[in-house]
């Protein structure tokens, strides 16, 4: 349950994670480019949701989550090294695509591992991570940006996400997968 909750926290933290280099604002980046940067994660998330569900039906959740969390963490950290809006947008596209299977995985885990009478509670628990990520950690991200610069936000979130528990390291019986 903690893994599902943590993945949702990170998933929603990535959505709120949008600091831009000051020069993006100083150069008065065009509205179109800003729209591309801010919506890129959403585009790929939407387009990868169904293929992500298909993948979840074919790959063990524990293995798939380990791969996805590692990859989206790397993509998030790399945003801290991005130098131009097309690179920034491409990395947001990658994060959206890599996070798209998260909720299908979570739903598969809950329907497989929990008795029917406990599923709503389990879903309520892990979905509460959405607002932990948005409400409680957004001020932390803003503090990082103010004190250490915009790059620190991405690097910190990417490193934090990649250092958490790995689904492949949890003691879950293979038969439960």
């Amino acid at each position: 349950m903690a893994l599902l909750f943590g993945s949702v926290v990170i998933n929603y933290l990535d959505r709120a994670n949008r600091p831009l280099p000051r020069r993006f604002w100083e150069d008065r980046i065009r509205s179109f480019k800003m729209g591309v940067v801010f919506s890129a994660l959403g585009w790929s998330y939407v387009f990868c949701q169904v293929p992500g569900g298909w993948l979840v039906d074919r790959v063990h959740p524990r293995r798939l989550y380990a791969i996805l969390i590692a990859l989206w963490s790397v993509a998030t950290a790399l945003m801290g090294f991005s130098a131009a809006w097309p690179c920034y947008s491409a990395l947001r596209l990658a994060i959206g695509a890599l996070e798209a299977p998260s909720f299908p995985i979570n739903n598969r885990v809950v329907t497989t591992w929990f008795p029917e009478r406990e599923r709503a509670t389990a879903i309520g628990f892990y979905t509460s991570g959405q607002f932990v990520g948005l409400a409680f950690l957004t001020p932390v991200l803003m503090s990082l940006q103010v004190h250490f610069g915009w790059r620190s936000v991405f690097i910190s979130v990417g490193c934090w996400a990649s250092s958490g528990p790995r689904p492949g390291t949890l003691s879950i019986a293979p038969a439960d997968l």
Side-chain angles (χ1 to χ4, degrees), residues 1-6 110 113-114 121-123 125-127:
M1 223 42 250
L3 176 66
L4 298 182
F5 177 83
V110 168
W113 295 354
F114 289 86
T121 301
I123 290 169
F125 179 76
Y126 82 70
T127 58

Side-chain angles (χ1 to χ4, degrees), residues 14-155:
D14 282 340
R15 294 171 197 208
N17 197 3
R18 297 188 202 177
L20 291 172
R22 180 170 287 163
R23 75 176 189 299
F24 278 22
W25 302 106
E26 290 171 352
D27 291 346
R28 297 177 193 219
I29 187 169
R30 294 183 184 214
S31 297
F32 172 78
K33 290 178 182 177
M34 190 68 76
V36 170
V37 167
F38 285 154
S39 63
L41 185 143
W43 295 344
S44 59
Y45 197 95
V46 166
F47 289 119
C48 292
Q49 195 82 77
V50 173
W54 177 87
L55 189 61
V56 169
D57 286 336
R58 283 151 185 81
V59 179
H60 291 290
R62 180 165 69 158
R63 182 173 297 133
L64 185 56
Y65 239 157
I67 293 166
L68 293 172
I69 290 171
L71 292 175
W72 91 49
S73 297
V74 168
T76 299
L78 286 174
M79 287 179 68
F81 300 99
S82 176
W85 76 270
C87 181
Y88 192 90
S89 297
L91 288 166
R92 294 228 2 126
L93 282 168
I95 292 167
L98 294 164
E99 289 185 354
S102 297
F103 276 85
I105 290 172
N106 293 350
N107 289 331
R108 179 176 174 191
V109 167
V110 168
T111 58
T112 303
W113 295 354
F114 289 86
E116 190 173 344
R117 62 183 172 77
E118 295 177 12
R119 290 179 188 161
T121 301
I123 290 169
F125 179 76
Y126 82 70
T127 58
S128 68
Q130 298 170 21
F131 298 101
V132 169
L134 291 174
F136 298 114
L137 296 177
T138 300
V140 173
L141 297 180
M142 294 302 100
S143 180
L144 278 172
Q145 183 175 352
V146 167
H147 296 297
F148 302 105
W150 69 273
R151 294 179 188 277
S152 69
V153 175
F154 295 113
I155 295 167

